[in-house]
Amino acid sequence: MLKAAWNKNDKKAKTLIWIFSVIVFAAVSVLSRVKLDVNLGFDVHLFAEINALINSAVAVLLVAALVAVKSGKYKWHRGLMMTAMILSILFLVSYICHHLFAGETKFGAEGIAKTIYYLVLFTHIPLAGLILPFILFTAYRALIGEWPQHKKLARITWPIWFYVAVTGVVVYWMISPYYV
């Protein structure tokens, strides 16, 4: 196992994690309902493409990190997970930009495609909103070297985060033909 990178301060960590999680959730909720009519000089749906690429990369990093930890390559695991977290921050910025500048896109298919799309979307959205504090608490437990607690949280966090990353790509793939 790796040595702790941070000193333990559960009270401060919990407070900061919850404040950050609530701010991010509120920002995404509020800003996704705002549309700015600004000409950026490029197709604003480029942000959605970037989001899909980032989600794809995060999914691959999560699988690689799982393989690394199962192989006992803890430094490699930590680097992969930190990269996934950094990419997730970039995703968040790009996601907000896409919704600010592109607004809402209506799904145009009918039948089974529509049912599948909304099923994926209605599982993706709440899990995406809920996963952030889990990711942060899991990372915190690792950074302070509390490996049993980290492992226990990771067993919940990893599959949800992976599902959110993969379904984010599926949602993009299904909605992108309807971008105007």
Side-chain angles (χ1 to χ4, degrees):
M1 290 288 165
L2 298 173
K3 290 172 54 174
W6 288 1
N7 293 325
K8 183 176 177 174
N9 187 339
D10 282 356
K11 186 175 180 180
K12 185 176 182 181
K14 284 179 185 178
T15 302
L16 291 174
I17 287 169
W18 284 115
I19 288 171
F20 183 73
S21 297
V22 167
I23 289 171
V24 167
F25 184 80
V28 169
S29 296
V30 170
L31 294 176
S32 68
R33 288 164 177 69
V34 174
K35 183 178 187 299
L36 300 177
D37 287 323
V38 177
N39 183 355
L40 298 177
F42 59 90
D43 182 1
V44 294
H45 297 298
L46 177 63
F47 290 118
E49 290 177 38
I50 291 168
N51 294 344
L53 287 171
I54 291 172
N55 271 331
S56 298
V58 167
V60 169
L61 287 167
L62 290 173
V63 170
L66 181 63
V67 170
V69 78
K70 297 281 186 187
S71 303
K73 298 176 180 170
Y74 301 115
K75 283 186 180 181
W76 187 235
H77 170 77
R78 180 178 59 194
L80 291 166
M81 293 307 296
M82 294 306 283
T83 303
M85 289 179 70
I86 290 166
L87 284 177
S88 294
I89 293 167
L90 293 174
F91 166 85
L92 182 62
V93 171
S94 180
Y95 178 86
I96 290 171
C97 287
H98 183 249
H99 281 279
L100 273 175
F101 298 117
E104 289 293 317
T105 300
K106 301 291 182 203
F107 187 71
E110 293 296 327
I112 190 73
K114 187 174 186 175
T115 302
I116 292 169
Y117 174 77
Y118 282 112
L119 221 127
V120 171
L121 187 66
F122 290 145
T123 58
H124 172 82
I125 290 172
L127 290 173
L130 293 172
I131 194 60
L132 179 59
F134 282 91
I135 292 168
L136 297 175
F137 279 115
T138 304
Y140 171 70
R141 292 292 167 215
L143 290 169
I144 64 171
E146 289 188 349
W147 305 115
Q149 296 89 333
H150 169 74
K151 189 174 180 179
K152 185 177 178 181
L153 270 172
R155 286 188 172 139
I156 298 165
T157 305
W158 189 94
I160 297 170
W161 192 3
F162 182 73
Y163 179 83
V164 167
V166 170
T167 56
V169 177
V170 171
V171 167
Y172 167 76
W173 175 72
M174 293 184 80
I175 194 79
S176 62
Y178 306 103
Y179 289 148
V180 180

